[in-house]
Amino acid sequence: MKFDILTIFPEFFESPFSFGIFKKALDRNIVELSTHDIRDYTEDKHRTVDDAPYGGGGGMLMKPEPIGRAVEQIRQEGSNSLVILTSPGGELFSDETARELAGYDQLVIVCGRYEGIDERVRELYVDREISIGDYVLSGGEYAASVIVDSVARFVPGYLGNELSPERDSFKESLLEHPQYTRPENYKGLTVPEVLLSGNHEEIRGWRRRESLKRTYLERPELLDRAGLSLDDITAIDDLKKSARPIFKAYIALVHYPVYNNRLTIITTAFTNLDVHDIARAGKTYGIEKFYLVQPNPEQQRLAERVLRHWTEGEGPALNKSRAEALEFVVIKDSLGEAVKDIERIEGKAPRVVVTDARPRENAIGYSEMREKMMRSGGDPFLLVFGTGWGLSEEIMEKADYTLKPVNGYTGYNHLSVRSAAAIILDRLFSCTI
Ligand code: 4FV
């Protein structure tokens, strides 16, 4: 594997790759590393590599010609080579990327400096643009060294025989289990017994469970990509019971004040399916209580009768899980009543989160809202869904947060409220395992 790095600071790479496992691999020709000073590919006496951006905007940009000449001379025609640009706008670098890149014979890595590079370098020369993270570095050299170091680990023979890249990679998309070495007792902290048992089956099981636990607690999204055995899933189910994220979420389905298709304020009718489906979704995602906001007495009585049918008398015997879902549905005259009820239960008023199919300024996205709810230490949130053609402006304006609409790539967004509720609950409270 040959790494060719294009940079205006070749000296950057002198130290990081002059010792340790990489140096050994260089000496054994397992990998090759060459740095190329982009200034050597300039044609003016000042060896100029940067210039002001067209259209103004401060800062300097790297000129296309020197980089173009360098790539044309360095990229090995006919060999399995790839030109990479390191930039914050690239695809996020991961273990999987590293594994793929290790499959090439030559990687030509272009390191950006200044405010970036002329766009035509991308169009003419760059095969893949890679970012090592959502932050801005003073130069792509840092990213290039990260890429070189992690790709090299997948080059056959690089890690030496006792270690395989498979073992220490994110291949399994699980975080590493806790590891210990001598002394057995350090400042009163001892090595887990199982590791001293010599029972390799036991040790393997313990390590697997610890990896699952650490991943579940620290990086649950990784578990979505992990290949899990039934034992793993059982282990995680136990974790779910013992280590469930703390959040207190309530939902309300509002029948008044909402709009009709002429955007006049109306009261909509109680819909059996909505209540059943949203209650079941709420139960699935750990919602505390489901408020049915319906001021119309006749409608309230109808809803009461349906709820009682499923939660009392023969209902529960007929369908236990349905009774379980509907028993946390409460009918309220107004959204204000629901807020008061939560304040009574939680000792503090909930933050109100409204939803709407219409786009709005300053709406909050789902990952950010999830973060807020999951890291709120149990502060109550009330998620409000509207019937008809959506919640009234009065309710929208009083809310603490407005969630972005649920959209596909179609421009058609007439989801039923119960579908929208299910999608939104999953985005906010899904457990990816
Ligand atoms: C970067 C990153 C990065 C941007 C301006 C270099 C800097 C300067 N590269 N992942 N994050 N590059 O911040 O790869 O050109």
Side-chain angles (χ1 to χ4, degrees):
M1 156 68 78
K2 182 151 186 356
F3 298 100
D4 284 292
I5 301 182
L6 277 59
T7 168
I8 61 171
F9 295 123
E11 62 273 30
F12 178 98
F13 297 92
E14 275 149 20
S15 64
F17 298 112
S18 58
F19 52 81
I21 189 170
F22 197 92
K23 182 70 172 72
K24 287 200 193 80
L26 278 176
D27 301 344
R28 293 163 39 223
N29 291 322
I30 302 269
V31 293
E32 289 172 70
L33 175 76
S34 307
T35 56
H36 309 271
D37 187 339
I38 295 170
R39 290 188 192 286
D40 296 345
Y41 298 86
T42 58
E43 291 175 346
D44 66 308
K45 70 178 180 309
H46 301 297
R47 292 159 62 79
T48 308
V49 293
D50 63 322
D51 202 339
Y54 280 115
M60 299 295 272
L61 285 182
M62 297 185 84
K63 290 169 60 58
E65 311 95 316
I67 297 174
R69 287 190 209 99
V71 171
E72 285 167 7
Q73 283 174 37
I74 293 160
R75 181 173 49 192
Q76 288 156 357
E77 293 317 319
S79 89
N80 175 12
S81 72
L82 192 75
V83 177
I84 293 170
L85 169 66
T86 57
S87 103
E91 62 181 278
L92 203 52
F93 187 60
S94 71
D95 184 68
E96 198 180 335
T97 327
R99 189 189 302 280
E100 280 168 49
L101 297 180
Y104 288 87
D105 306 328
Q106 178 196 34
L107 293 182
V108 178
I109 306 179
V110 180
C111 303
R113 276 276 162 176
Y114 310 102
E115 302 321 303
I117 68 168
D118 183 288
E119 186 60 22
R120 291 160 290 185
V121 172
R122 276 188 187 82
E123 286 161 45
L124 293 168
Y125 299 106
V126 173
D127 301 314
R128 263 173 104 163
E129 193 167 346
I130 295 179
S131 167
I132 60 168
D134 297 341
Y135 38 77
V136 178
L137 304 164
S138 55
E141 286 78 7
Y142 301 94
S145 51
V146 166
I147 292 169
V148 168
D149 186 83
S150 53
V151 170
R153 301 174 72 77
F154 289 99
V155 175
Y158 179 88
L159 282 178
N161 45 23
E162 86 283 354
L163 287 176
S164 85
E166 306 312 327
R167 201 186 63 76
D168 75 340
S169 74
F170 272 77
K171 177 143 181 37
E172 293 221 74
S173 186
L174 292 179
L175 299 185
E176 190 79 277
H177 50 74
Q179 302 184 87
Y180 301 80
T181 184
R182 276 185 288 276
E184 229 176 84
N185 180 322
Y186 176 65
K187 294 184 183 297
L189 297 181
T190 55
V191 175
E193 279 306 312
V194 63
L195 297 180
L196 308 171
S197 68
N199 176 331
H200 292 297
E201 203 34 45
E202 274 290 305
I203 291 170
R204 201 196 59 68
W206 179 85
R207 284 177 169 167
R208 181 74 179 179
R209 284 191 302 281
E210 288 297 317
S211 277
L212 290 167
K213 185 161 81 180
R214 188 168 271 183
T215 311
Y216 172 81
L217 294 172
E218 307 305 328
R219 299 285 307 281
E221 78 284 359
L222 286 177
L223 287 164
D224 194 35
R225 308 162 66 91
L228 300 174
S229 67
L230 289 180
D231 289 355
D232 294 339
I233 293 164
T234 315
I236 291 169
D237 281 346
D238 300 344
L239 281 169
K240 274 194 215 172
K241 297 190 192 81
S242 60
R244 200 196 114 167
I246 310 299
F247 60 84
K248 282 286 180 72
Y250 293 76
I251 52 180
L253 181 65
V254 174
H255 288 278
Y256 172 86
V258 295
Y259 292 118
N260 62 8
N261 60 356
R262 290 184 305 288
L263 295 186
T264 49
I265 293 290
I266 58 164
T267 303
T268 55
F270 161 78
T271 313
N272 203 6
L273 258 184
D274 285 350
V275 173
H276 280 259
D277 279 15
I278 297 176
R280 290 159 76 179
K283 209 67 187 174
T284 306
Y285 289 101
I287 296 300
E288 303 295 320
K289 227 179 195 185
F290 171 16
Y291 295 98
L292 211 50
V293 175
Q294 171 60 263
N296 175 295
E298 176 43 41
Q299 287 285 313
Q300 286 192 352
R301 280 191 291 279
L302 171 58
E304 274 306 344
R305 236 188 3 262
V306 169
L307 292 173
R308 263 202 312 283
H309 166 74
W310 289 97
T311 56
E312 293 163 13
E314 56 170 343
L318 268 178
N319 185 328
K320 185 172 165 314
S321 68
R322 191 58 57 88
E324 213 188 327
L326 294 175
E327 76 208 351
F328 80 157
V329 180
V330 178
I331 299 167
K332 289 292 179 187
D333 299 345
S334 71
L335 191 60
E337 286 303 309
V339 168
K340 277 210 213 85
D341 190 49
I342 296 168
E343 192 160 2
R344 179 184 57 73
I345 298 163
E346 299 289 343
K348 63 182 353 181
R351 273 171 275 175
V352 175
V353 182
V354 292
T355 61
D356 193 352
R358 283 177 290 269
R360 287 172 177 263
E361 295 273 311
N362 315 323
I364 188 168
Y366 291 89
S367 53
E368 191 183 349
M369 192 72 243
R370 179 183 173 111
E371 191 81 15
K372 279 186 191 311
M373 289 177 155
M374 292 286 191
R375 296 195 190 287
S376 71
D379 286 357
F381 286 80
L382 172 58
L383 204 50
V384 184
F385 299 100
T387 55
W389 286 68
L391 297 165
S392 71
E393 212 39 47
E394 175 222 342
I395 288 183
M396 298 302 286
E397 269 151 20
K398 271 197 295 191
D400 300 286
Y401 302 100
T402 301
L403 278 169
K404 289 179 180 168
V406 171
N407 284 323
Y409 285 100
T410 62
Y412 179 94
N413 71 348
H414 299 286
L415 280 170
S416 70
V417 64
R418 54 185 180 276
S419 306
I423 293 164
I424 289 171
L425 287 171
D426 186 69
R427 288 181 179 180
L428 296 175
F429 307 112
S430 66
C431 174
T432 55
I433 308 132

Coordinates of all heavy atoms in Angstrom, one line a residue, residues 95-125:
D95 N -14.5 3.2 10.4 CA -13.7 1.9 10.3 C -14.0 1.3 8.9 O -13.1 0.7 8.3 CB -14.2 1.1 11.4 CG -13.5 -0.3 11.5 OD1 -12.3 -0.2 11.8 OD2 -14.0 -1.3 11.1
E96 N -15.2 1.4 8.5 CA -15.6 0.8 7.3 C -14.9 1.5 6.1 O -14.4 0.8 5.2 CB -17.2 0.9 7.1 CG -17.7 0.0 6.1 CD -19.3 0.2 6.0 OE1 -19.8 0.7 7.0 OE2 -19.8 -0.1 4.9
T97 N -14.8 2.8 6.1 CA -14.1 3.5 5.1 C -12.6 3.0 5.1 O -12.1 2.7 4.0 CB -14.1 5.0 5.4 OG1 -15.3 5.4 6.0 CG2 -13.9 5.8 4.1
A98 N -12.0 2.9 6.3 CA -10.6 2.5 6.4 C -10.4 1.2 5.7 O -9.5 0.9 4.9 CB -10.2 2.5 7.8
R99 N -11.4 0.3 6.0 CA -11.3 -1.1 5.5 C -11.3 -1.0 3.9 O -10.5 -1.7 3.3 CB -12.5 -1.9 6.0 CG -12.5 -3.3 5.7 CD -13.9 -3.8 6.1 NE -14.1 -3.5 7.5 CZ -13.6 -4.2 8.5 NH1 -12.9 -5.3 8.2 NH2 -13.9 -3.9 9.7
E100 N -12.2 -0.2 3.4 CA -12.3 -0.1 1.9 C -11.0 0.5 1.3 O -10.5 -0.1 0.3 CB -13.5 0.8 1.5 CG -14.9 0.2 1.6 CD -15.9 1.4 1.5 OE1 -15.7 2.2 0.6 OE2 -16.8 1.5 2.4
L101 N -10.5 1.5 1.9 CA -9.4 2.2 1.4 C -8.1 1.3 1.4 O -7.3 1.4 0.5 CB -9.1 3.5 2.1 CG -10.2 4.6 2.1 CD1 -9.7 5.8 2.9 CD2 -10.5 5.0 0.6
A102 N -8.1 0.4 2.3 CA -7.0 -0.6 2.4 C -6.9 -1.5 1.2 O -5.9 -2.1 0.9 CB -7.0 -1.4 3.7
G103 N -8.0 -1.5 0.4 CA -8.1 -2.3 -0.8 C -7.4 -1.7 -2.0 O -7.2 -2.4 -3.0
Y104 N -6.9 -0.5 -1.9 CA -6.2 0.2 -3.0 C -4.7 0.0 -3.0 O -4.2 -0.3 -1.9 CB -6.5 1.7 -3.1 CG -8.0 1.9 -3.5 CD1 -9.0 2.0 -2.5 CD2 -8.3 2.1 -4.8 CE1 -10.3 2.2 -2.9 CE2 -9.6 2.4 -5.2 CZ -10.6 2.4 -4.2 OH -11.9 2.6 -4.6
D105 N -4.0 0.1 -4.1 CA -2.6 0.0 -4.1 C -2.0 1.3 -3.8 O -0.9 1.4 -3.1 CB -2.1 -0.4 -5.5 CG -2.7 -1.7 -6.0 OD1 -3.0 -2.5 -5.1 OD2 -3.0 -1.9 -7.2
Q106 N -2.6 2.4 -4.2 CA -2.1 3.8 -3.9 C -3.2 4.7 -3.5 O -4.3 4.8 -4.1 CB -1.4 4.4 -5.2 CG -0.9 5.8 -5.0 CD -0.6 6.5 -6.3 OE1 -1.3 6.3 -7.3 NE2 0.4 7.3 -6.4
L107 N -3.0 5.5 -2.4 CA -3.9 6.5 -2.0 C -3.1 7.8 -2.1 O -2.1 8.0 -1.5 CB -4.3 6.3 -0.6 CG -5.2 5.1 -0.2 CD1 -5.6 5.1 1.2 CD2 -6.5 5.1 -1.1
V108 N -3.7 8.7 -3.0 CA -3.1 10.1 -3.1 C -4.0 11.0 -2.2 O -5.2 11.1 -2.5 CB -3.1 10.5 -4.6 CG1 -2.6 12.0 -4.7 CG2 -2.3 9.6 -5.4
I109 N -3.4 11.6 -1.2 CA -4.2 12.3 -0.2 C -3.9 13.8 -0.4 O -2.7 14.2 -0.1 CB -4.1 11.9 1.2 CG1 -4.3 10.4 1.3 CG2 -5.0 12.6 2.1 CD1 -4.2 9.8 2.7
V110 N -4.9 14.6 -0.7 CA -4.6 16.1 -0.9 C -5.1 16.8 0.4 O -6.2 16.6 0.9 CB -5.5 16.6 -2.1 CG1 -5.2 18.1 -2.2 CG2 -5.2 15.9 -3.3
C111 N -4.1 17.5 1.0 CA -4.4 18.2 2.3 C -4.8 19.7 2.0 O -3.9 20.4 1.5 CB -3.2 18.1 3.2 SG -2.7 16.4 3.5
G112 N -6.0 20.0 2.4 CA -6.4 21.4 2.2 C -5.7 22.3 3.3 O -5.3 21.8 4.3
R113 N -5.6 23.6 2.9 CA -5.1 24.6 3.9 C -5.9 25.9 3.6 O -6.8 25.9 2.7 CB -3.6 24.8 3.7 CG -2.7 23.8 4.5 CD -2.6 24.2 6.0 NE -2.1 23.1 6.8 CZ -1.8 23.2 8.1 NH1 -1.8 24.4 8.7 NH2 -1.5 22.1 8.8
Y114 N -5.7 26.9 4.3 CA -6.4 28.2 4.1 C -7.9 27.9 4.2 O -8.3 27.0 5.0 CB -6.1 28.8 2.7 CG -4.6 28.9 2.4 CD1 -4.0 28.0 1.6 CD2 -3.9 29.9 3.0 CE1 -2.6 28.0 1.3 CE2 -2.5 30.0 2.7 CZ -1.9 29.1 1.9 OH -0.6 29.1 1.7
E115 N -8.7 28.6 3.4 CA -10.2 28.4 3.5 C -10.7 27.2 2.7 O -11.9 27.0 2.6 CB -10.9 29.7 3.1 CG -10.5 30.9 3.9 CD -10.4 30.6 5.4 OE1 -11.3 30.1 6.0 OE2 -9.2 30.8 5.9
G116 N -9.7 26.5 2.1 CA -10.2 25.4 1.2 C -9.5 25.5 -0.1 O -8.5 26.2 -0.3
I117 N -10.0 24.7 -1.1 CA -9.4 24.6 -2.4 C -10.4 25.0 -3.5 O -11.6 25.0 -3.3 CB -8.9 23.2 -2.7 CG1 -10.1 22.2 -2.9 CG2 -8.0 22.7 -1.6 CD1 -9.6 20.9 -3.4
D118 N -9.8 25.4 -4.7 CA -10.6 25.7 -5.9 C -11.5 24.5 -6.2 O -11.0 23.4 -6.3 CB -9.7 26.1 -7.0 CG -10.5 26.6 -8.2 OD1 -11.1 25.7 -8.9 OD2 -10.6 27.8 -8.5
E119 N -12.8 24.8 -6.5 CA -13.7 23.7 -6.7 C -13.4 22.8 -7.9 O -13.7 21.6 -7.9 CB -15.1 24.3 -7.0 CG -16.3 23.4 -7.1 CD -16.5 22.5 -5.9 OE1 -16.0 23.0 -4.8 OE2 -17.0 21.4 -6.0
R120 N -12.6 23.3 -8.9 CA -12.3 22.6 -10.1 C -11.3 21.4 -9.8 O -11.3 20.4 -10.5 CB -11.8 23.5 -11.2 CG -12.9 24.4 -11.7 CD -12.4 25.6 -12.4 NE -11.8 26.6 -11.4 CZ -11.3 27.8 -11.8 NH1 -11.4 28.2 -13.1 NH2 -10.7 28.6 -10.9
V121 N -10.6 21.5 -8.6 CA -9.8 20.4 -8.3 C -10.7 19.2 -7.9 O -10.4 18.0 -8.4 CB -8.9 20.7 -7.0 CG1 -8.2 19.5 -6.5 CG2 -7.9 21.8 -7.4
R122 N -11.8 19.4 -7.2 CA -12.8 18.4 -6.9 C -13.3 17.7 -8.2 O -13.3 16.5 -8.4 CB -14.0 18.9 -6.2 CG -13.8 19.0 -4.7 CD -15.1 19.4 -4.0 NE -14.9 19.7 -2.6 CZ -14.4 20.9 -2.1 NH1 -14.2 21.9 -3.0 NH2 -14.2 21.1 -0.8
E123 N -13.7 18.6 -9.1 CA -14.3 18.1 -10.4 C -13.4 17.3 -11.2 O -13.7 16.3 -11.7 CB -14.9 19.3 -11.2 CG -16.1 19.9 -10.6 CD -16.4 21.4 -11.1 OE1 -16.2 21.5 -12.3 OE2 -16.6 22.3 -10.3
L124 N -12.1 17.7 -11.3 CA -11.2 17.1 -12.2 C -10.4 16.0 -11.6 O -10.0 15.0 -12.3 CB -10.2 18.2 -12.7 CG -10.8 19.3 -13.6 CD1 -9.8 20.4 -13.8 CD2 -11.3 18.7 -14.9
Y125 N -10.1 16.0 -10.3 CA -9.1 15.1 -9.7 C -9.6 14.2 -8.6 O -9.1 13.1 -8.3 CB -7.9 15.8 -9.3 CG -7.2 16.5 -10.5 CD1 -7.3 17.9 -10.6 CD2 -6.5 15.9 -11.5 CE1 -6.7 18.6 -11.6 CE2 -5.9 16.5 -12.5 CZ -6.0 17.9 -12.6 OH -5.4 18.6 -13.6

